[in-house]
Amino acid sequence: MSGDSTCVSVIIAAMNAEATIGQAVASALGEPEVAEVIVVDDASQDGTVAAAGAADDASGRLKVITLERNHGPAGARNRGLQAATSPCVAVLDADDFFLPGRIGKLLASAGDDWDMVADDILIVPEALKLQDISIAPLSDGGDRLMLDLETFVLGNICQRSRPRGELGFLKPIFRSDFLRENGLRYDGQIRLGEDYALYFRALMAGARFFIMPACGYVAIEREQSLSSCHSADDLLRLAAFDAERLASPSLTIGERRALKAHHSATMKRAVYAKALEVKRTHGLLAGLGIMARHPLCIPYILRETVSAKVGALVGRPRLPEVARGVRLLGIPQLNAGRAR
């Protein structure tokens, strides 16, 4: 972004992130383009606030906001957006960090005709040492791709045949005036997929969303994250978001088809999660009753059940010992949108 040399507010929503928030804060403060780092403590019960403060570099750029009750990631980030004062805003998760130069590389490659710009995330095993992470250099704008709504939605459908890497994982830099002019904020009712929902609405509003290869956003992949499970209610809220968007008359045929596919995939996951929850609390027959009310989801539930049992028998797969991205350039639709 031409002009202002310190033009980015970095928002870090944090809850019980004492162990990781220091690295996140320090990495953001280390970027010369960052005018302020806003940590929003989402009613933590540990030493998150103290750990964030300990990472301060005395430049006066760190602000810590403490919420008295938990608002969830969306609500906490909205509080950060409200406090941000820079022309651009970026989100950093409390257990992730920037490699040096990430913001500068991203802005330099973006040009001047963007509303959102993001780079491929480096998904890094927890045991990998920082010095072992390498990034291929960017070419002069040739790697910049335009992301459209249909491609974005299709890129958020989780598939067992590939590692997790949905486009909703991206952490773009936003132009603040674009968010403001279009009334865009995170949906506080959504605690799963809040990024997906915001990016969807931004693209619906006409956002020029460019993506490029990795510039240095590092997401740590931990062993316990492999067994994490979203609640049925979380998934149902995300499916409800899709259902509401399907009522829009402005969707193209391709966008509507993609959104229906995403809604269907999310509903299958929700029914599976609900069946497991009901089975745990009310027994097997009650869980089977949930399945009976959603017959179209039964093949998916059976596949997931078999996969879970096989996984329990053979053991948890080891995490890869190298960093990997979400393979943005491996999604065929993106190549058609390459920006010249």
Side-chain angles (χ1 to χ4, degrees):
M1 184 176 183
S2 60
D4 205 345
S5 60
T6 54
C7 59
V8 181
S9 296
V10 176
I11 298 168
I12 307 176
M15 186 188 74
N16 297 336
E18 178 182 8
T20 60
I21 187 67
Q23 184 177 34
V25 168
S27 73
L29 288 173
E31 298 292 276
E33 299 80 12
V34 171
E36 57 185 359
V37 175
I38 303 171
V39 173
V40 183
D41 177 65
D42 198 14
S44 294
Q45 301 299 308
D46 66 356
T48 294
V49 171
D56 196 353
D57 64 354
S59 64
R61 291 178 295 155
L62 178 63
K63 303 176 182 178
V64 179
I65 299 170
T66 302
L67 303 180
E68 294 184 0
R69 63 177 181 83
N70 182 266
H71 288 67
R77 288 177 184 169
N78 283 340
R79 183 65 183 86
L81 288 173
Q82 183 181 355
T85 61
S86 303
C88 303
V89 293
V91 167
L92 173 62
D93 285 348
D95 53 355
D96 297 341
F97 61 92
F98 298 152
L99 292 180
R102 186 248 178 176
I103 297 291
K105 291 175 184 176
L106 199 51
L107 292 176
S109 300
D112 293 315
D113 60 341
W114 58 275
D115 301 302
M116 301 167 61
V117 59
D119 56 330
D120 196 356
I121 289 179
L122 286 169
I123 302 175
V124 175
E126 189 173 16
L128 191 69
K129 292 180 172 57
L130 183 60
Q131 59 266 29
D132 295 331
I133 304 172
S134 62
I135 304 175
L138 298 176
S139 62
D140 295 332
D143 293 324
R144 191 179 72 154
L145 304 174
M146 174 76 87
L147 186 60
D148 60 72
L149 182 61
E150 179 181 352
T151 300
F152 173 72
V153 174
L154 290 174
N156 279 282
I157 298 175
C158 178
Q159 297 182 17
R160 181 168 291 281
S161 60
R162 68 185 188 203
R164 293 297 303 274
E166 292 87 342
L167 296 182
F169 290 169
L170 296 177
K171 293 295 186 290
I173 300 174
F174 299 88
R175 286 192 186 273
S176 299
D177 56 1
F178 177 81
L179 294 176
R180 182 172 54 254
E181 291 165 5
N182 291 281
L184 293 173
R185 289 291 185 268
Y186 289 92
D187 188 334
Q189 300 302 311
I190 297 178
R191 286 181 174 254
L192 165 67
E194 67 279 356
D195 293 306
Y196 162 81
L198 177 62
Y199 306 168
F200 184 102
R201 291 172 56 226
L203 287 165
M204 282 283 288
R208 297 163 297 177
F209 189 173
F210 291 101
I211 58 175
M212 57 194 64
C215 294
Y217 188 104
V218 178
I220 304 301
E221 187 172 45
R222 294 178 170 80
E223 287 285 352
Q224 60 265 33
S225 67
L226 291 176
S227 59
S228 62
C229 178
H230 299 296
S231 74
D233 286 343
D234 289 339
L235 289 160
L236 287 171
R237 290 189 191 100
L238 187 59
F241 173 86
D242 281 346
E244 291 171 2
R245 303 287 88 73
L246 281 168
S248 172
S250 63
L251 292 174
T252 67
I253 294 175
E255 291 167 351
R256 190 173 301 279
R257 185 188 305 116
L259 191 54
K260 285 182 177 179
H262 186 270
H263 177 264
S264 175
T266 305
M267 279 299 301
K268 289 174 182 176
R269 293 170 61 199
V271 172
Y272 177 53
K274 190 67 175 179
L276 290 178
E277 291 174 5
V278 170
K279 176 189 172 185
R280 284 193 294 268
T281 56
H282 296 85
L284 177 60
L285 288 179
L288 292 174
I290 296 294
M291 294 173 55
R293 290 198 290 272
H294 301 274
L296 294 179
C297 299
I298 291 177
Y300 172 85
I301 293 174
L302 292 177
R303 286 196 302 271
E304 289 296 302
T305 301
V306 170
S307 176
K309 289 186 179 298
V310 170
L313 289 173
V314 302
R316 175 179 292 174
R318 292 188 61 184
L319 291 174
E321 296 180 353
V322 296
R324 60 179 171 83
V326 299
R327 293 172 314 286
L328 302 178
L329 303 184
I331 298 176
Q333 299 96 321
L334 291 180
N335 294 321
R338 185 178 295 275
R340 302 297 181 184

